[in-house]
Structure formats: C-alpha cells, structure tokens
Amino acid sequence: MACASSLLTEDQFLCSICLDVYTKPVAIPCGHNFCIQCITDYWNTNNVCQCPVCKEQFYTRPTLKVNIFIAEMAAKFKKVQVQEKSAGSPEQQAAKSGSGDVPCDVCTGAKATALKSCLVCLMSFCTTHLEPHQIKKALKKHKLIDPVENPESRLCVEHDKPLELFCMVDEIFLCESCTETNHKSHKTVTLEQEFEARKAQLGISEAETQRKIQERQQKIHEIRHSVKTGKDDADKVMSYSMQVMNTLVHYIKKSQAELTEVIGMKQKEMEAQAEGFIKELEGEMMQLTQENKKLKQVSLNKDCFKFLESVLSLKIFPPQTKDWSDISVESDQCTVQRAVAQLEMTVVREIRMLCDPDLKKMQKHAVDITLDPDTAHPFLTVSDDRKQVKSGDRMRNLPNQPERFDHVSNVLAKEGFSSGKFYYEVQVKDKPQWDLGVASESINRKGDIRLSPKNGYWTVWLRKGNEYTANAGPGVILHLREKPQKVGVFVDYEEGQVSFYDVEARAHMYSFTGCTFTEKLFPFFSPCANDGGKNSAPLIITPVKSSG
C-alpha cells in the first residue's frame, strides 16, 4: 500500500493566502478553500467582499463553516509530513545507516538495526537473524564484521576474499591470497593491528594538535593581556604626562609671577641704594663747594701782605668724605637672565629627548635618496633598488676606484646637498651595530678612517647592541630611553646643524650644532661587519611618512 504522502500532494492542502496547510478550512461560494481566519482577515481589510483567487464578488458576506472532511484530510497530511521528516529522506536514511545505523537485510516490514555484517553471505543481520551464524557450525566459519552498508566493498576484487590485512609498504587493504602474490615480500598486519596503531598515532597527533591549540590560545590571551596592559599603561602615562605638564605650566606661570615680583623688588632696592649714594655724594659735594669758595676768595687777593695774612688766618678743616673708588651700583638681572636661558635649554632638551614636537616640521624637508654602489666597500651588497645595504662574509671582486671605501664597510648616497635643509630615514631594526650620518665630499675613503667632524664626518653609531655614541671627537655617550628601530637624519646646511631622531618615539637623539659646511654633504651609511650572521640585517632607506 502506497504511503499517504505519495497519494496526496502538498499543493492540495495549501491555503493560497498563508501558503501553509489548512487550519480550519472553509469553502466560499465560488468553490475555493481557505483557512477561516485567513479569509476573514482578508475580507476585513478590503472594501470589496471577493475571492482572492478568482476575484468573484459577493454582495453579501457568505456565512463560513469549517469543512470537516477537508479539515480531517489536512490533519492527516500534517501527521504524515511530521513522520516523514522524523524518518528523513532516502539520502538521509542512507547516510544514517552508513554512520553505523545499518538496517537488517532479512527483516520484513520495519527494519531492525543490524548487529553484524557477513562477508560470506554479503548481508547484514539484526540480533534475531544473526543467531544462525552463532549456532550453526557451518555458519560460524563465516567472517563477521561490524555492520556496513555495502559488505561487497570489503571483499578483494581480484580474489573475492575478505580484506582482512593491511600492507605496510603500499598502504592498501589485502586478502590472504594477496600476501602470496604481489605483496609476498611486503610486511603486512591485520586490520585490527593497523587500526590500533593508526588510532594511537592519531591520538598522539590529536594530543599534539590540542597542545598547540592551547599554546596559541594562551599566546592570544597573553597578547590580548599585553595589549590591554599596554593600553592601560599608555592611559596612565598619558594622564600622568598631562598632569605633569599642567603642573609644570602652572608652576612656570606661578614662578614667572614670583620672578617678576622679585626682579621688581631688586630693581627698587637698587634704585633706593642709588638714591642714597646720590644724596650722600651731593652732601659731600656741597661741603667741598663751600670750602672751595673760601679758598677761591683768598686766592683772588693780589696784595702779597694781605694774601699771606689771610692764608695764615685761614683754618682749613677738610670735610669728612668717603673713598668712592670701589663703590658702585650693579644689577644682577643678567645673572637671572642667564639662569632663565639655561633653564629653557634644559627643559627643551629634556622634552625633545622625550618627544620632539619639531620632528614633524623637519619631516617636511624629506628627500628621496639612493645608495651609490660605486662608493660601497667590497664587503657590502647594495640592493637593485639602491635602498638597502648589508654586509657579507666575503669580499667581492670590484675595481678600486677613487670614490670607493677600501678599508671600512662604508657607503655614501648618490645624492649630495650644498644648501638648504634635507631629511631622510633609515631602518636599523635587528642590528647590533651601525653608523649613520653625513660626510663631506672630500673625505678620505682609503685606509683606516676616524669618524669626527674635523675629518668631515657628522655621525652617530651603535655598538654591542645598546651603546649609542655621537662621534663628536671626543665621543658623546647617548642615554636613550628606547632602542630606535628607525633613525631620522636632519641637516640644515646654512645653520650648520645635523640632528638625529628616533622616528617611532619622535625623540631627539643628538645634534651637532655650530658646524661650518663649505662643500657638498652626502648621507653616510655603514651596516658594519656581518659578524657571522649576527649583524646580517640590512640598513634600509625608507619612505618618510610624516605624522603631521
């Protein structure tokens, strides 16, 4: 007997309004059926009472009653649908049986689940129908395996025998006859042995994979924690720096007011002291003037007798006066000015070493430079784009032309500058040693070279991975807060300035100032010795990406 779903189609039980199986179906005068609620709502929302399918109009709204027959048929169809969905499609049933739920080939009607498959009978049996294979002597010899959907696939195509063995050499399934022919010299094991070995191997691989997953999960956790910690630290530093800067600004403003008051007071004291000195001097001048009048009157007498008589009778009492030769009024405002200027230099220097706000302006003078292979020492290799240079372990056979360095691993840029300002950046990442800066065109390029301004070199170098020095002759040890990954070099030709910056930290490293340039300057590079691969990373001229 055919199942209900093969006799009834879904379209016969669908309401044309809700497109679902009828719920309380009703028939209207034109003969079309709808769910009672669907057609009622349809008429309630339209001004005209008509059929939604054929559009026939009704002058009076029909009385609706549930069609019991159609309702029962729809209910049965719904029940069949539920059963078929729970059983699944034929493809789903096949997949289900292939996953271990294999039906018994002997059962009629409802199929019981097979317990074993026989490679001789090529059938699968449930618990009941498997009994003959467990009782009858002839059937006990049959090869039973866990239930499979297609037992024929477990037979050797060539010998028609069960595939019970595994070839370790060719990694294929074998029957007993195969081991006596093509695989006679090969190592073979039972399927159970290979199963256990492969399962154990997979278990080890799975455990190792799980360990690696856990390691990566832990690393992700650590990285996220580091990012969060870094953000928290950055927020704290930012808050602290703002607080310190605001406090510093407030203190400077307050100090400026105090200093203004002190300067004013000192000026008043100096003026009062000067006034006192002036009054005292004026008093002494008055006394001296009166004494001078007396002497002048006597000196005007031309009669010798009277002159001598007046001089003899004249009593001269010199006025009490000071020795003013060592007395002066001096202002100490110049001392204050020098101290304030020194304070400004100190504050600016410390702030620039923390984060120089002028770097953005200097980056606007960026120039595009390339390396000059003709100047490179034979140990050095310049990239095809002339933006990278690295040191090797073997000297290349190159002509010893005048512009080439022959003793020290140096190289110059192709471009030189004899005026204005210029700026460029060099990546020094992963290098424990390097030299960077600018050099005069006429520098000595042969033999041993000493880097110093008097020899035409304005450079900074790194040694031993953490020792930074400005080669000012003598060298100046640089105490940097971070290890630069990229160094910026700025030159102001007219001002005689060569400055070095940690680009990522935007921090000032060192400046040569007060220099006198009289010839063309060339960017200077030295990746230093390879050191057995420890210093093999290249120096890279990178594009300048201004942050402003």
Side-chain angles (χ1 to χ4, degrees), residues 262-277:
V262 169
I263 292 173
M265 290 176 61
K266 288 185 176 182
Q267 179 64 24
K268 289 179 180 179
E269 288 177 1
M270 185 190 71
E271 292 175 356
Q273 184 185 36
E275 286 294 326
F277 287 159

Side-chain angles (χ1 to χ4, degrees), residues 282-292 318-321:
E282 287 177 344
E284 290 185 0
M285 285 176 59
M286 187 176 295
Q287 293 179 27
L288 292 171
T289 300
Q290 291 176 353
E291 189 66 26
N292 191 51
Q320 297 295 321
T321 59

Side-chain angles (χ1 to χ4, degrees), residues 131-145:
E131 287 184 7
H133 281 76
Q134 297 171 333
I135 298 172
K136 293 183 179 181
K137 187 175 181 180
L139 295 179
K140 283 184 177 183
K141 297 179 180 180
H142 290 188
K143 178 65 175 179
L144 298 177
I145 61 173

Side-chain angles (χ1 to χ4, degrees), residues 148-167:
V148 293
E149 184 67 24
N150 184 18
E152 293 91 339
S153 63
R154 303 301 178 95
L155 295 178
C156 177
V157 177
E158 184 178 355
H159 304 107
D160 200 28
K161 291 183 178 181
L163 297 170
E164 301 176 292
L165 302 173
F166 185 80
C167 178

Side-chain angles (χ1 to χ4, degrees), residues 305-318:
F305 181 84
K306 285 190 176 288
F307 174 80
L308 292 172
E309 185 181 40
S310 297
V311 170
L312 293 172
S313 62
L314 182 64
K315 294 180 178 179
I316 302 175
F317 299 100

Side-chain angles (χ1 to χ4, degrees), residues 159 165 174-185 188:
H159 304 107
L165 302 173
L174 307 176
C175 68
E176 288 185 1
S177 298
C178 292
T179 61
E180 298 173 358
T181 55
N182 297 336
H183 302 270
K184 188 173 184 179
S185 60
T188 60

